[in-house]
Amino acid sequence: MMSFFEDLTEKRLRKKGQKLLIRNDFKKAHLLFQKAILLNNSVENKFNLAVTLLSLSEYSNAEKYLENIYAEYPENELNLLALAECSIMQKKWDEAIKFYTEAVSLFPNKKAYNQYLEIAKDVVAREKYVKAKELFNDATVQLQQKNDKKALNILMQAHDFFPQDATIINNIATLYIMLKDYNKAYNFAMKAVALKPDDPRFQTNIKITKRKLRKK
């Protein structure tokens, strides 16, 4: 059992790590979650640590934590999806199909899960998906190094491989905003929203580009 001060420390580490995750500072987030899990080996800390490892492309290490959670909570939606992603990025096609099939069965109203299942089954589409995700990770590294134009070029390549990925498209919109090309930013932001109209994250770029274009 944790002491009062250990409990406070664990919560502080977890909250700070989650903020770093949102900012895509995965290495620092990973260090904080490692410290948090030493204090409290909770499901939340294991999942947070797995997410940072996924983001750092350390798929086999992430898989260990996700499988541990899966053994206890096989119907956890986020964990199932993370396991499927972990499997597909390691080209463990059968395992990816298994986890997406379970997600489709458990959450039949989530149409996107069916789409990902079909990608995992398609020998061409899944290779393109993996390549797009690898490029996305490369672009994230370039962004952290302030190489905005290089990051944009890499994201455009990722978009060519997998044009239906709303997250890639939204990040392209964000980079065009940073580069002050608001017309292109607006077009890509609209594409992202069209693919995922219910995701509030993608509405932000629409608001920003509309405001910037009105000022012209």
Side-chain angles (χ1 to χ4, degrees), residues 102-129:
E102 288 181 24
V104 168
S105 176
L106 288 166
F107 311 100
N109 294 328
K110 302 288 182 73
K111 294 180 181 179
Y113 300 168
N114 249 319
Q115 294 170 353
Y116 284 114
L117 175 58
E118 292 308 310
I119 289 167
K121 289 179 178 178
D122 188 310
V123 294
V124 175
R126 64 197 188 192
E127 291 283 358
K128 288 184 176 181
Y129 176 87

PDB file of all heavy atoms in Angstrom, residues 102-129:
ATOM      1  N   GLU A 102     -12.622  -8.765 -32.685  1.00  0.00           N
ATOM      2  CA  GLU A 102     -13.209  -8.659 -31.344  1.00  0.00           C
ATOM      3  C   GLU A 102     -13.810  -7.276 -31.126  1.00  0.00           C
ATOM      4  O   GLU A 102     -14.899  -7.147 -30.551  1.00  0.00           O
ATOM      5  CB  GLU A 102     -12.144  -8.948 -30.277  1.00  0.00           C
ATOM      6  CG  GLU A 102     -11.747 -10.415 -30.205  1.00  0.00           C
ATOM      7  CD  GLU A 102     -10.716 -10.681 -29.120  1.00  0.00           C
ATOM      8  OE1 GLU A 102     -10.640  -9.888 -28.153  1.00  0.00           O
ATOM      9  OE2 GLU A 102      -9.969 -11.668 -29.237  1.00  0.00           O
ATOM     10  N   ALA A 103     -13.122  -6.250 -31.594  1.00  0.00           N
ATOM     11  CA  ALA A 103     -13.627  -4.878 -31.445  1.00  0.00           C
ATOM     12  C   ALA A 103     -14.931  -4.692 -32.210  1.00  0.00           C
ATOM     13  O   ALA A 103     -15.878  -4.073 -31.709  1.00  0.00           O
ATOM     14  CB  ALA A 103     -12.574  -3.880 -31.931  1.00  0.00           C
ATOM     15  N   VAL A 104     -14.983  -5.232 -33.418  1.00  0.00           N
ATOM     16  CA  VAL A 104     -16.209  -5.150 -34.231  1.00  0.00           C
ATOM     17  C   VAL A 104     -17.362  -5.867 -33.540  1.00  0.00           C
ATOM     18  O   VAL A 104     -18.498  -5.378 -33.512  1.00  0.00           O
ATOM     19  CB  VAL A 104     -15.964  -5.738 -35.642  1.00  0.00           C
ATOM     20  CG1 VAL A 104     -17.282  -5.938 -36.388  1.00  0.00           C
ATOM     21  CG2 VAL A 104     -15.026  -4.844 -36.445  1.00  0.00           C
ATOM     22  N   SER A 105     -17.066  -7.025 -32.965  1.00  0.00           N
ATOM     23  CA  SER A 105     -18.096  -7.815 -32.284  1.00  0.00           C
ATOM     24  C   SER A 105     -18.606  -7.116 -31.025  1.00  0.00           C
ATOM     25  O   SER A 105     -19.814  -7.104 -30.753  1.00  0.00           O
ATOM     26  CB  SER A 105     -17.527  -9.189 -31.919  1.00  0.00           C
ATOM     27  OG  SER A 105     -18.469  -9.942 -31.189  1.00  0.00           O
ATOM     28  N   LEU A 106     -17.688  -6.528 -30.273  1.00  0.00           N
ATOM     29  CA  LEU A 106     -18.059  -5.885 -29.009  1.00  0.00           C
ATOM     30  C   LEU A 106     -18.696  -4.512 -29.210  1.00  0.00           C
ATOM     31  O   LEU A 106     -19.543  -4.085 -28.418  1.00  0.00           O
ATOM     32  CB  LEU A 106     -16.830  -5.748 -28.116  1.00  0.00           C
ATOM     33  CG  LEU A 106     -16.295  -7.041 -27.498  1.00  0.00           C
ATOM     34  CD1 LEU A 106     -14.892  -6.812 -26.931  1.00  0.00           C
ATOM     35  CD2 LEU A 106     -17.221  -7.533 -26.395  1.00  0.00           C
ATOM     36  N   PHE A 107     -18.279  -3.816 -30.280  1.00  0.00           N
ATOM     37  CA  PHE A 107     -18.746  -2.448 -30.503  1.00  0.00           C
ATOM     38  C   PHE A 107     -19.257  -2.305 -31.941  1.00  0.00           C
ATOM     39  O   PHE A 107     -18.646  -1.629 -32.773  1.00  0.00           O
ATOM     40  CB  PHE A 107     -17.622  -1.457 -30.222  1.00  0.00           C
ATOM     41  CG  PHE A 107     -16.939  -1.694 -28.898  1.00  0.00           C
ATOM     42  CD1 PHE A 107     -15.722  -2.367 -28.831  1.00  0.00           C
ATOM     43  CD2 PHE A 107     -17.536  -1.287 -27.708  1.00  0.00           C
ATOM     44  CE1 PHE A 107     -15.103  -2.603 -27.617  1.00  0.00           C
ATOM     45  CE2 PHE A 107     -16.926  -1.524 -26.489  1.00  0.00           C
ATOM     46  CZ  PHE A 107     -15.713  -2.190 -26.435  1.00  0.00           C
ATOM     47  N   PRO A 108     -20.379  -2.958 -32.249  1.00  0.00           N
ATOM     48  CA  PRO A 108     -20.892  -3.005 -33.633  1.00  0.00           C
ATOM     49  C   PRO A 108     -21.279  -1.642 -34.200  1.00  0.00           C
ATOM     50  O   PRO A 108     -21.369  -1.490 -35.426  1.00  0.00           O
ATOM     51  CB  PRO A 108     -22.116  -3.931 -33.525  1.00  0.00           C
ATOM     52  CG  PRO A 108     -22.510  -3.886 -32.083  1.00  0.00           C
ATOM     53  CD  PRO A 108     -21.246  -3.708 -31.315  1.00  0.00           C
ATOM     54  N   ASN A 109     -21.505  -0.661 -33.347  1.00  0.00           N
ATOM     55  CA  ASN A 109     -21.899   0.666 -33.831  1.00  0.00           C
ATOM     56  C   ASN A 109     -20.715   1.501 -34.304  1.00  0.00           C
ATOM     57  O   ASN A 109     -20.900   2.554 -34.915  1.00  0.00           O
ATOM     58  CB  ASN A 109     -22.662   1.427 -32.738  1.00  0.00           C
ATOM     59  CG  ASN A 109     -23.999   0.782 -32.415  1.00  0.00           C
ATOM     60  OD1 ASN A 109     -24.629   0.192 -33.285  1.00  0.00           O
ATOM     61  ND2 ASN A 109     -24.421   0.877 -31.168  1.00  0.00           N
ATOM     62  N   LYS A 110     -19.500   1.060 -33.997  1.00  0.00           N
ATOM     63  CA  LYS A 110     -18.300   1.802 -34.406  1.00  0.00           C
ATOM     64  C   LYS A 110     -17.882   1.333 -35.810  1.00  0.00           C
ATOM     65  O   LYS A 110     -17.157   0.348 -35.972  1.00  0.00           O
ATOM     66  CB  LYS A 110     -17.166   1.570 -33.397  1.00  0.00           C
ATOM     67  CG  LYS A 110     -17.510   1.984 -31.959  1.00  0.00           C
ATOM     68  CD  LYS A 110     -17.552   3.485 -31.815  1.00  0.00           C
ATOM     69  CE  LYS A 110     -17.847   3.906 -30.385  1.00  0.00           C
ATOM     70  NZ  LYS A 110     -16.740   3.718 -29.465  1.00  0.00           N
ATOM     71  N   LYS A 111     -18.348   2.053 -36.812  1.00  0.00           N
ATOM     72  CA  LYS A 111     -18.094   1.652 -38.205  1.00  0.00           C
ATOM     73  C   LYS A 111     -16.611   1.646 -38.563  1.00  0.00           C
ATOM     74  O   LYS A 111     -16.170   0.865 -39.408  1.00  0.00           O
ATOM     75  CB  LYS A 111     -18.862   2.577 -39.155  1.00  0.00           C
ATOM     76  CG  LYS A 111     -20.373   2.453 -39.042  1.00  0.00           C
ATOM     77  CD  LYS A 111     -21.074   3.400 -39.998  1.00  0.00           C
ATOM     78  CE  LYS A 111     -22.589   3.285 -39.850  1.00  0.00           C
ATOM     79  NZ  LYS A 111     -23.304   4.225 -40.750  1.00  0.00           N
ATOM     80  N   ALA A 112     -15.864   2.520 -37.930  1.00  0.00           N
ATOM     81  CA  ALA A 112     -14.429   2.618 -38.246  1.00  0.00           C
ATOM     82  C   ALA A 112     -13.702   1.310 -37.956  1.00  0.00           C
ATOM     83  O   ALA A 112     -12.731   0.969 -38.637  1.00  0.00           O
ATOM     84  CB  ALA A 112     -13.789   3.751 -37.453  1.00  0.00           C
ATOM     85  N   TYR A 113     -14.186   0.557 -36.953  1.00  0.00           N
ATOM     86  CA  TYR A 113     -13.517  -0.690 -36.600  1.00  0.00           C
ATOM     87  C   TYR A 113     -13.641  -1.720 -37.718  1.00  0.00           C
ATOM     88  O   TYR A 113     -12.723  -2.498 -37.974  1.00  0.00           O
ATOM     89  CB  TYR A 113     -14.067  -1.252 -35.292  1.00  0.00           C
ATOM     90  CG  TYR A 113     -13.909  -0.320 -34.102  1.00  0.00           C
ATOM     91  CD1 TYR A 113     -14.565  -0.564 -32.901  1.00  0.00           C
ATOM     92  CD2 TYR A 113     -13.096   0.806 -34.186  1.00  0.00           C
ATOM     93  CE1 TYR A 113     -14.418   0.293 -31.809  1.00  0.00           C
ATOM     94  CE2 TYR A 113     -12.952   1.671 -33.110  1.00  0.00           C
ATOM     95  CZ  TYR A 113     -13.609   1.410 -31.920  1.00  0.00           C
ATOM     96  OH  TYR A 113     -13.458   2.255 -30.855  1.00  0.00           O
ATOM     97  N   ASN A 114     -14.772  -1.710 -38.397  1.00  0.00           N
ATOM     98  CA  ASN A 114     -14.955  -2.578 -39.565  1.00  0.00           C
ATOM     99  C   ASN A 114     -13.983  -2.199 -40.672  1.00  0.00           C
ATOM    100  O   ASN A 114     -13.432  -3.070 -41.353  1.00  0.00           O
ATOM    101  CB  ASN A 114     -16.396  -2.462 -40.084  1.00  0.00           C
ATOM    102  CG  ASN A 114     -17.177  -3.742 -39.853  1.00  0.00           C
ATOM    103  OD1 ASN A 114     -16.652  -4.839 -40.042  1.00  0.00           O
ATOM    104  ND2 ASN A 114     -18.414  -3.616 -39.427  1.00  0.00           N
ATOM    105  N   GLN A 115     -13.799  -0.899 -40.858  1.00  0.00           N
ATOM    106  CA  GLN A 115     -12.883  -0.437 -41.895  1.00  0.00           C
ATOM    107  C   GLN A 115     -11.450  -0.887 -41.609  1.00  0.00           C
ATOM    108  O   GLN A 115     -10.737  -1.333 -42.513  1.00  0.00           O
ATOM    109  CB  GLN A 115     -12.949   1.090 -41.989  1.00  0.00           C
ATOM    110  CG  GLN A 115     -14.295   1.604 -42.480  1.00  0.00           C
ATOM    111  CD  GLN A 115     -14.447   3.111 -42.340  1.00  0.00           C
ATOM    112  OE1 GLN A 115     -13.591   3.778 -41.754  1.00  0.00           O
ATOM    113  NE2 GLN A 115     -15.529   3.654 -42.854  1.00  0.00           N
ATOM    114  N   TYR A 116     -11.048  -0.783 -40.340  1.00  0.00           N
ATOM    115  CA  TYR A 116      -9.702  -1.213 -39.979  1.00  0.00           C
ATOM    116  C   TYR A 116      -9.549  -2.726 -40.090  1.00  0.00           C
ATOM    117  O   TYR A 116      -8.470  -3.228 -40.433  1.00  0.00           O
ATOM    118  CB  TYR A 116      -9.350  -0.733 -38.571  1.00  0.00           C
ATOM    119  CG  TYR A 116      -9.007   0.735 -38.517  1.00  0.00           C
ATOM    120  CD1 TYR A 116      -9.811   1.636 -37.836  1.00  0.00           C
ATOM    121  CD2 TYR A 116      -7.883   1.222 -39.171  1.00  0.00           C
ATOM    122  CE1 TYR A 116      -9.495   2.996 -37.797  1.00  0.00           C
ATOM    123  CE2 TYR A 116      -7.561   2.571 -39.145  1.00  0.00           C
ATOM    124  CZ  TYR A 116      -8.373   3.445 -38.454  1.00  0.00           C
ATOM    125  OH  TYR A 116      -8.060   4.784 -38.432  1.00  0.00           O
ATOM    126  N   LEU A 117     -10.612  -3.450 -39.812  1.00  0.00           N
ATOM    127  CA  LEU A 117     -10.576  -4.906 -39.978  1.00  0.00           C
ATOM    128  C   LEU A 117     -10.337  -5.263 -41.439  1.00  0.00           C
ATOM    129  O   LEU A 117      -9.534  -6.157 -41.749  1.00  0.00           O
ATOM    130  CB  LEU A 117     -11.888  -5.526 -39.472  1.00  0.00           C
ATOM    131  CG  LEU A 117     -12.050  -7.034 -39.681  1.00  0.00           C
ATOM    132  CD1 LEU A 117     -10.935  -7.814 -39.006  1.00  0.00           C
ATOM    133  CD2 LEU A 117     -13.417  -7.499 -39.156  1.00  0.00           C
ATOM    134  N   GLU A 118     -11.024  -4.554 -42.325  1.00  0.00           N
ATOM    135  CA  GLU A 118     -10.850  -4.815 -43.757  1.00  0.00           C
ATOM    136  C   GLU A 118      -9.431  -4.466 -44.221  1.00  0.00           C
ATOM    137  O   GLU A 118      -8.865  -5.155 -45.060  1.00  0.00           O
ATOM    138  CB  GLU A 118     -11.878  -4.014 -44.566  1.00  0.00           C
ATOM    139  CG  GLU A 118     -13.315  -4.476 -44.375  1.00  0.00           C
ATOM    140  CD  GLU A 118     -13.490  -5.964 -44.603  1.00  0.00           C
ATOM    141  OE1 GLU A 118     -13.030  -6.462 -45.648  1.00  0.00           O
ATOM    142  OE2 GLU A 118     -14.074  -6.650 -43.730  1.00  0.00           O
ATOM    143  N   ILE A 119      -8.874  -3.414 -43.649  1.00  0.00           N
ATOM    144  CA  ILE A 119      -7.482  -3.048 -43.975  1.00  0.00           C
ATOM    145  C   ILE A 119      -6.534  -4.159 -43.534  1.00  0.00           C
ATOM    146  O   ILE A 119      -5.629  -4.548 -44.274  1.00  0.00           O
ATOM    147  CB  ILE A 119      -7.107  -1.712 -43.301  1.00  0.00           C
ATOM    148  CG1 ILE A 119      -7.842  -0.553 -43.973  1.00  0.00           C
ATOM    149  CG2 ILE A 119      -5.585  -1.483 -43.359  1.00  0.00           C
ATOM    150  CD1 ILE A 119      -7.780   0.743 -43.202  1.00  0.00           C
ATOM    151  N   ALA A 120      -6.743  -4.665 -42.323  1.00  0.00           N
ATOM    152  CA  ALA A 120      -5.874  -5.735 -41.800  1.00  0.00           C
ATOM    153  C   ALA A 120      -5.950  -6.998 -42.656  1.00  0.00           C
ATOM    154  O   ALA A 120      -4.974  -7.745 -42.754  1.00  0.00           O
ATOM    155  CB  ALA A 120      -6.267  -6.056 -40.362  1.00  0.00           C
ATOM    156  N   LYS A 121      -7.080  -7.228 -43.296  1.00  0.00           N
ATOM    157  CA  LYS A 121      -7.263  -8.421 -44.131  1.00  0.00           C
ATOM    158  C   LYS A 121      -6.703  -8.239 -45.538  1.00  0.00           C
ATOM    159  O   LYS A 121      -6.371  -9.221 -46.214  1.00  0.00           O
ATOM    160  CB  LYS A 121      -8.756  -8.760 -44.226  1.00  0.00           C
ATOM    161  CG  LYS A 121      -9.366  -9.309 -42.948  1.00  0.00           C
ATOM    162  CD  LYS A 121     -10.851  -9.578 -43.153  1.00  0.00           C
ATOM    163  CE  LYS A 121     -11.504 -10.187 -41.917  1.00  0.00           C
ATOM    164  NZ  LYS A 121     -12.959 -10.409 -42.113  1.00  0.00           N
ATOM    165  N   ASP A 122      -6.611  -7.011 -45.997  1.00  0.00           N
ATOM    166  CA  ASP A 122      -6.196  -6.711 -47.370  1.00  0.00           C
ATOM    167  C   ASP A 122      -4.665  -6.642 -47.447  1.00  0.00           C
ATOM    168  O   ASP A 122      -4.035  -5.793 -46.808  1.00  0.00           O
ATOM    169  CB  ASP A 122      -6.807  -5.372 -47.800  1.00  0.00           C
ATOM    170  CG  ASP A 122      -6.594  -5.066 -49.277  1.00  0.00           C
ATOM    171  OD1 ASP A 122      -5.443  -5.158 -49.750  1.00  0.00           O
ATOM    172  OD2 ASP A 122      -7.575  -4.732 -49.962  1.00  0.00           O
ATOM    173  N   VAL A 123      -4.070  -7.508 -48.251  1.00  0.00           N
ATOM    174  CA  VAL A 123      -2.604  -7.634 -48.281  1.00  0.00           C
ATOM    175  C   VAL A 123      -1.913  -6.369 -48.797  1.00  0.00           C
ATOM    176  O   VAL A 123      -0.750  -6.106 -48.457  1.00  0.00           O
ATOM    177  CB  VAL A 123      -2.158  -8.856 -49.128  1.00  0.00           C
ATOM    178  CG1 VAL A 123      -2.593 -10.150 -48.469  1.00  0.00           C
ATOM    179  CG2 VAL A 123      -2.689  -8.766 -50.544  1.00  0.00           C
ATOM    180  N   VAL A 124      -2.598  -5.596 -49.623  1.00  0.00           N
ATOM    181  CA  VAL A 124      -2.010  -4.347 -50.134  1.00  0.00           C
ATOM    182  C   VAL A 124      -2.289  -3.195 -49.176  1.00  0.00           C
ATOM    183  O   VAL A 124      -1.380  -2.438 -48.814  1.00  0.00           O
ATOM    184  CB  VAL A 124      -2.561  -4.021 -51.545  1.00  0.00           C
ATOM    185  CG1 VAL A 124      -2.039  -2.664 -52.013  1.00  0.00           C
ATOM    186  CG2 VAL A 124      -2.168  -5.111 -52.536  1.00  0.00           C
ATOM    187  N   ALA A 125      -3.538  -3.065 -48.764  1.00  0.00           N
ATOM    188  CA  ALA A 125      -3.942  -1.936 -47.910  1.00  0.00           C
ATOM    189  C   ALA A 125      -3.184  -1.911 -46.590  1.00  0.00           C
ATOM    190  O   ALA A 125      -2.790  -0.846 -46.115  1.00  0.00           O
ATOM    191  CB  ALA A 125      -5.449  -1.999 -47.652  1.00  0.00           C
ATOM    192  N   ARG A 126      -2.953  -3.073 -46.006  1.00  0.00           N
ATOM    193  CA  ARG A 126      -2.284  -3.094 -44.701  1.00  0.00           C
ATOM    194  C   ARG A 126      -0.827  -2.671 -44.796  1.00  0.00           C
ATOM    195  O   ARG A 126      -0.298  -2.024 -43.886  1.00  0.00           O
ATOM    196  CB  ARG A 126      -2.422  -4.470 -44.053  1.00  0.00           C
ATOM    197  CG  ARG A 126      -1.754  -5.619 -44.769  1.00  0.00           C
ATOM    198  CD  ARG A 126      -2.292  -6.939 -44.268  1.00  0.00           C
ATOM    199  NE  ARG A 126      -1.561  -8.094 -44.784  1.00  0.00           N
ATOM    200  CZ  ARG A 126      -1.987  -9.344 -44.665  1.00  0.00           C
ATOM    201  NH1 ARG A 126      -3.128  -9.614 -44.052  1.00  0.00           N
ATOM    202  NH2 ARG A 126      -1.265 -10.354 -45.129  1.00  0.00           N
ATOM    203  N   GLU A 127      -0.164  -3.009 -45.900  1.00  0.00           N
ATOM    204  CA  GLU A 127       1.220  -2.561 -46.089  1.00  0.00           C
ATOM    205  C   GLU A 127       1.281  -1.046 -46.256  1.00  0.00           C
ATOM    206  O   GLU A 127       2.177  -0.389 -45.715  1.00  0.00           O
ATOM    207  CB  GLU A 127       1.839  -3.254 -47.312  1.00  0.00           C
ATOM    208  CG  GLU A 127       2.078  -4.749 -47.142  1.00  0.00           C
ATOM    209  CD  GLU A 127       3.295  -5.073 -46.287  1.00  0.00           C
ATOM    210  OE1 GLU A 127       3.994  -4.139 -45.835  1.00  0.00           O
ATOM    211  OE2 GLU A 127       3.563  -6.272 -46.072  1.00  0.00           O
ATOM    212  N   LYS A 128       0.316  -0.497 -46.974  1.00  0.00           N
ATOM    213  CA  LYS A 128       0.253   0.954 -47.147  1.00  0.00           C
ATOM    214  C   LYS A 128      -0.044   1.643 -45.821  1.00  0.00           C
ATOM    215  O   LYS A 128       0.499   2.716 -45.535  1.00  0.00           O
ATOM    216  CB  LYS A 128      -0.822   1.309 -48.184  1.00  0.00           C
ATOM    217  CG  LYS A 128      -0.440   0.963 -49.610  1.00  0.00           C
ATOM    218  CD  LYS A 128      -1.496   1.439 -50.589  1.00  0.00           C
ATOM    219  CE  LYS A 128      -1.070   1.192 -52.026  1.00  0.00           C
ATOM    220  NZ  LYS A 128      -2.086   1.683 -52.984  1.00  0.00           N
ATOM    221  N   TYR A 129      -0.913   1.035 -45.034  1.00  0.00           N
ATOM    222  CA  TYR A 129      -1.257   1.585 -43.723  1.00  0.00           C
ATOM    223  C   TYR A 129      -0.009   1.666 -42.832  1.00  0.00           C
ATOM    224  O   TYR A 129       0.253   2.700 -42.216  1.00  0.00           O
ATOM    225  CB  TYR A 129      -2.314   0.708 -43.052  1.00  0.00           C
ATOM    226  CG  TYR A 129      -2.676   1.132 -41.652  1.00  0.00           C
ATOM    227  CD1 TYR A 129      -3.663   2.081 -41.426  1.00  0.00           C
ATOM    228  CD2 TYR A 129      -2.036   0.577 -40.541  1.00  0.00           C
ATOM    229  CE1 TYR A 129      -3.995   2.475 -40.134  1.00  0.00           C
ATOM    230  CE2 TYR A 129      -2.356   0.968 -39.254  1.00  0.00           C
ATOM    231  CZ  TYR A 129      -3.347   1.918 -39.058  1.00  0.00           C
ATOM    232  OH  TYR A 129      -3.658   2.301 -37.786  1.00  0.00           O
TER     233      TYR A 129
END
